[in-house]
Amino acid sequence: MSETAKIELGGQTYELPVIEGTENEKAIDISKLRDLSGYITLDRGYKNTGACMSSITYLDGENGILRYRGYSIEQLAENSTFLEVSYLTIFGELPTAAQLIKFENDIRKYTLVNEEMKNIIDGFPRTAHPMGVLSSLTSALTAFNPKAVNVDNEKEMYEAICKTMAKFIVIATWTYRKSMGFPLNYYDNTKGYVDNFLRLMFELPTGPYKIDAKITSALDKLFILHADHEQNCSTSTVRMVGSSHAGLFASISSGVSALWGPLHGGANQAVLEMLEAIKNDGGDVEKYVLKAKDKDDPFRLMGFGHRVYKNFDPRARIIKKAADDVLETLGVDDPILDIAKKLEKVALEDDYFKSRNLYPNVDFYSGIIYRALGIPVDMFTVMFAIGRLPGWIGQWKEMRANTEPIGRPRQVYTGERERNYVEISKR
Ligand code: SDX
């Protein structure tokens, strides 16, 4: 006999099914609650509410576990590449060598972005934030690739996926090139995906860009660690927008906008700005820990805390080690890293943070590596978006394949009761 949840409402007892996930997570299925009882549930920020069933990412916040399709991020970060993890996240299995080569070649079919897209980016001021430009350009891709809206069969879906993987990384680098007043680069189909990212970003007409394998490897690892994270704010947004059957580009564009917020992906930029402020303030980390604890001060320790991880974010642990390695490899001595480690130590010894299970998250150390690689601060969240793209695509594909209903939450109304219209002369 499977477990059920009994709930007493208005003198009636209702029995609701309990469903269990692969890792024994349990959920009360309330799909019939309103029909049965007239009641709905309320859960601000969805802290206790599952929006879907998914087989892509498993996350255990209490034990700091993160797996994509069953593979731990520790093993994937150590052994895989971003394109291979993208294939795994989107299609569900690690590819054979032939499948991976085919995937990369199918992406290469679409790496040329329509020249007229340049008219759109030219309309932005150089000072525009790259995330706003990226969200706009991503949505604009629909105008030049209308077929990507209809994904009613596997062939169309696969084509839309390859187009998105191909064009997103190009337009993402265009946001940087535009801000610098540099000419926009083209993808080079003779080179790898992450090497192309570096070329697209930094190659100038005045001479070839020398790829450093160590930088490619560090970026591969960072993109892998950002690839997916179950139903986070931006991924839930992509699924919600896609549930209305809006196209893939439009749905990804909405995910970019959600990720931009400083409480979400925008935190990696906010962390660097916070560390810079602490450095410029004489490195007084205790002062900023006090500010973060002060309820009257809106300041939060950026890069700390997480909705789900109530233990160390496993990605932060890997990125922290990678930061040490990358800075040593590049011979960069960045005082910001020392401030970050000191801030982490002080915070983790403080009861306020310990009692609230506030640990460094994925955004706390990633910016230090991006900075060492020469990525400007306002491009940090674009880096997050490039890494998260396969997760957004995979989750969107799963939502459409599972023919999920259009997302339409309920509410508890707290406004005025019915009242009659009053002529303006009588108000
Ligand atoms: C990402 O969801 C994901 O998976 C996201 C992500 C992904 O891969 O997609 O992991 C990426 O977004 C990581 C998070 C990046 N954001 C930041 O680093 C911004 C700083 N962090 C906080 O804003 C906060 O921790 C959140 C938004 C991340 C989580 O907020 P919650 O779960 O809604 O927690 P909360 O706001 O209810 O806080 C609980 C308590 C509160 O204090 P009390 O009311 O109990 O006294 O903890 C405090 C908060 O004030 N708190 C902090 C804090 N984070 C929470 N206090 C100081 N500094 C912080 N960073």
Side-chain angles (χ1 to χ4, degrees):
M1 169 72 175
S2 52
E3 187 183 0
T4 61
K6 287 189 180 62
I7 183 168
E8 284 258 333
L9 292 169
Q12 298 258 355
T13 302
Y14 301 95
E15 203 161 359
L16 298 168
V18 170
I19 56 172
E20 196 165 325
T22 314
E23 296 287 345
N24 311 314
E25 327 92 273
K26 294 190 175 180
I28 302 168
D29 182 344
I30 57 168
S31 316
K32 299 273 184 293
L33 177 66
R34 189 170 185 277
D35 290 346
L36 288 170
S37 70
Y39 284 65
I40 63 168
T41 58
L42 179 65
D43 184 19
R44 291 153 53 92
Y46 309 111
K47 293 191 175 187
N48 305 280
T49 299
C52 62
M53 307 216 292
S54 177
S55 58
I56 298 174
T57 291
Y58 173 66
L59 192 164
D60 177 337
E62 281 65 34
N63 298 303
I65 294 170
L66 176 57
R67 300 187 198 125
Y68 302 151
R69 303 285 189 178
Y71 297 96
S72 76
I73 51 152
E74 289 81 3
Q75 289 189 16
L76 292 171
E78 191 58 38
N79 303 300
S80 190
T81 64
F82 178 56
L83 215 53
E84 183 176 80
V85 167
S86 299
Y87 185 100
L88 170 69
T89 306
I90 296 168
F91 302 109
E93 295 295 338
L94 285 171
T96 61
Q99 286 170 327
L100 186 57
I101 290 167
K102 180 180 184 310
F103 184 48
E104 183 153 26
N105 288 336
D106 288 338
I107 289 170
R108 285 173 171 149
K109 290 175 189 167
Y110 307 108
T111 50
L112 187 63
V113 176
N114 192 300
E115 284 290 305
E116 288 178 277
M117 284 278 286
K118 293 184 176 179
N119 302 330
I120 299 172
I121 197 167
D122 284 343
F124 286 94
R126 280 181 51 183
T127 53
H129 194 288
M131 285 296 277
V133 179
L134 179 57
S135 176
S136 307
L137 290 181
T138 305
S139 188
L141 285 172
T142 307
F144 299 94
N145 304 274
K147 267 184 70 182
V149 176
N150 307 314
V151 284
D152 301 322
N153 60 57
E154 215 162 294
K155 180 177 174 300
E156 286 177 355
M157 174 67 85
Y158 181 74
E159 192 179 278
I161 289 167
C162 292
K163 275 184 184 173
T164 307
M165 287 295 293
K167 299 182 188 297
F168 189 82
I169 196 163
V170 174
I171 59 178
T173 62
W174 282 8
T175 65
Y176 167 69
R177 304 289 289 193
K178 166 74 187 178
S179 71
M180 300 297 286
F182 293 161
L184 307 180
N185 279 333
Y186 294 88
Y187 195 101
D188 175 347
N189 281 345
T190 66
K191 292 186 170 58
Y193 197 75
V194 177
D195 283 349
N196 258 292
F197 165 78
L198 289 164
R199 279 191 51 261
L200 287 160
M201 280 286 285
F202 300 121
E203 188 158 79
L204 297 174
T206 46
Y209 173 78
K210 190 174 176 320
I211 298 285
D212 179 333
K214 292 190 278 305
I215 293 183
T216 301
S217 164
L219 276 179
D220 238 330
K221 186 173 287 194
L222 278 168
F223 287 149
I224 287 170
L225 293 170
H226 285 82
D228 192 50
H229 214 242
E230 55 143 86
Q231 306 311 314
N232 59 85
C233 177
S234 55
T235 300
S236 302
T237 302
V238 169
R239 284 184 84 119
M240 175 66 90
V241 170
S243 73
S244 73
H245 285 200
L248 182 52
F249 294 135
S251 304
I252 298 292
S253 170
S254 64
V256 173
S257 298
L259 187 71
W260 191 359
L263 295 189
H264 189 16
N268 58 14
Q269 174 173 348
V271 166
L272 243 293
E273 289 160 353
M274 173 186 73
L275 294 173
E276 284 282 2
I278 295 173
K279 181 171 79 114
N280 298 335
D281 198 0
D284 182 355
V285 294
E286 283 79 2
K287 174 181 169 185
Y288 286 81
V289 169
L290 278 174
K291 275 171 65 69
K293 291 160 59 176
D294 179 356
K295 284 298 161 209
D296 297 328
D297 188 329
F299 175 78
R300 285 195 157 186
L301 218 46
M302 301 316 278
F304 264 77
H306 197 277
R307 170 58 59 77
V308 181
Y309 287 123
K310 299 310 170 193
N311 193 316
F312 225 90
D313 181 335
R315 299 166 298 177
R317 205 190 298 274
I318 299 171
I319 294 175
K320 177 180 178 180
K321 177 159 183 333
D324 273 327
D325 297 348
V326 167
L327 267 62
E328 188 188 336
T329 306
L330 297 176
V332 170
D333 176 20
D334 187 348
I336 288 285
L337 180 59
D338 299 332
I339 289 177
K341 289 180 176 176
K342 188 177 167 196
L343 180 60
E344 176 192 352
K345 185 175 181 307
V346 170
L348 293 185
E349 287 164 0
D350 185 295
D351 269 348
Y352 172 93
F353 290 85
K354 285 197 293 193
S355 64
R356 291 169 177 79
N357 297 312
L358 301 177
Y359 293 87
N361 58 48
V362 66
D363 293 307
F364 188 63
Y365 283 103
S366 53
I368 291 165
I369 299 180
Y370 293 144
R371 193 162 103 134
L373 300 180
I375 313 275
V377 174
D378 66 1
M379 282 291 290
F380 286 6
T381 312
V382 171
M383 299 298 287
F384 195 140
I386 293 171
R388 185 52 52 87
L389 181 64
W392 285 337
I393 293 172
Q395 298 270 353
W396 189 90
K397 175 173 178 286
E398 179 180 75
M399 175 275 303
R400 289 298 300 270
N402 293 351
T403 56
E404 298 278 345
I406 186 168
R408 204 280 184 213
R410 290 279 180 161
Q411 64 166 24
V412 174
Y413 176 67
T414 56
E416 297 284 343
R417 290 189 179 283
E418 186 174 11
R419 49 184 175 165
N420 295 317
Y421 183 80
V422 177
E423 289 297 323
I424 192 163
S425 59
K426 298 193 177 76
R427 287 174 208 162

